[in-house]
Amino acid sequence: EGGKKISSNTEASGRYHTDWLNMMYPRLKLARNLITDDGIIFISIDDNELSNLAKLCDEIFGEDHFVATFVWKTRQASGKQVAHNNTSQEHEYLLAYTKNHEVVFRGVDRDRSSYTNPDNDVRGDWAKHPLDVGSTREERPNCFYAITDPETGIEYQANPNRVWAFAPESMAKLINEKKIIFHPQGKNKPYLKKFWTDLKSESKPITTWLSREQFNLGYNTEGTQLVNELFHGEKLFDYPKPLSLISILMEQVVGNNDLVMDFFAGSGTTGHALYEFNVLNSTNVRYILVQLPEKLDHTKNEQKAAADFCIKLGKPLNIAELTKERLRRANKKVQSANPDYQGDLGFKVFKLDSSNLKPWDADFDSLSQDLADATEVLKADRKPEDVLFEILLKYGLNLTLPIDTHTI
């Protein structure tokens, strides 16, 4: 209605990449200003714009604020292939950037079951770790040498393509402390005896999210099934993100009283995930979801189901209405599964608008009428609630404050 184009950017457009970059740049620029000093941004992206997005983020956030490009598996392998090159795209990416360098991922829990104490070592449980590393003799010449088992006298020469992990002085100390495991007959290469108590942390760093078993991470079909279940079989969204993906991001970096913002709310998965996160962790994390009221056209096959559903609800035909309905249904689902939960599972909806106050814009030729009109400072079509929330914003108060009505 405001004359702004909010239709989809099709690949047939001659300015496909340019249009996408022009859409993303101001949002990311704003995102950097909104992120707290200890904040982090995750951006989901596929192969089409990965390289462009990385350049954009390097410019806005700075190359030294790049954290990682995580990979996650979006679907199972199938016969579906990309034309002409016999490949199948089964993964997407998550680019992570910080406002500064203070964000630390929690990592994943180490497998304690691999640490045992078969020899009753007084130092406790231990596990075998490789004693070599993936560096060559040329790269680390000081780690290319021979070590000797003090019990048997058997000598072990370093592999020129995988040298020892420790310099000679450190290796001698480990052997003296009996932290190197030698085979009695010298049949196997030696291993490092690493004790559980020697670990700096009970968690280990994240490298990739391709392992579904390690992270309990679902495919895109998980997101589709969940949304279809919430809407009783109605297929309203294309490829909604799985709840487990957003949950993993939150588990890694979100703390109590944090605020999570999603610039592209879509099916509302972020809000749904936050409901469950707060219930499971007894936290008070809030969210802001942003969604353009992109119109739905029931004459188009791919939009007909979503448009008809809005008509059935008596709501305007746009995606934002579906986002809100998903959150309402997620609210009920989480509440029914956790009847004793007393936290906040609600949300408020705000629409961007101009000020409720009339601007002073006097014209000398109609000054008398302008002065008369100025006796009423509010625009004619505004409600008391509109004015209230504008005042809250201008005073820097939270829009989530409880609102009561009193008759005086």
Side-chain angles (χ1 to χ4, degrees), residues 182-212:
F182 294 99
H183 191 276
Q185 287 82 42
K187 294 181 179 179
N188 299 324
K189 62 182 180 181
Y191 283 89
L192 173 65
K193 191 176 187 180
K194 197 161 191 175
F195 292 89
W196 180 262
T197 53
D198 289 341
L199 298 176
K200 294 180 180 178
S201 170
E202 293 188 8
S203 63
K204 61 182 180 181
I206 290 174
T207 54
T208 179
W209 286 328
L210 285 174
S211 172
R212 295 181 66 248

Side-chain angles (χ1 to χ4, degrees), residues 35-42 64-68 70 96-107 249-255 258:
I35 291 174
T36 55
D37 288 340
D38 60 347
I40 187 168
I41 185 170
F42 294 100
D64 53 342
H65 292 142
F66 167 71
V67 178
F70 295 110
Y97 282 80
T98 60
K99 184 74 167 282
N100 58 32
H101 302 283
E102 295 180 6
V103 177
V104 177
F105 285 75
R106 296 190 177 97
L249 301 182
M250 294 178 185
E251 289 167 6
Q252 287 301 315
V253 298
V254 171
D258 278 354

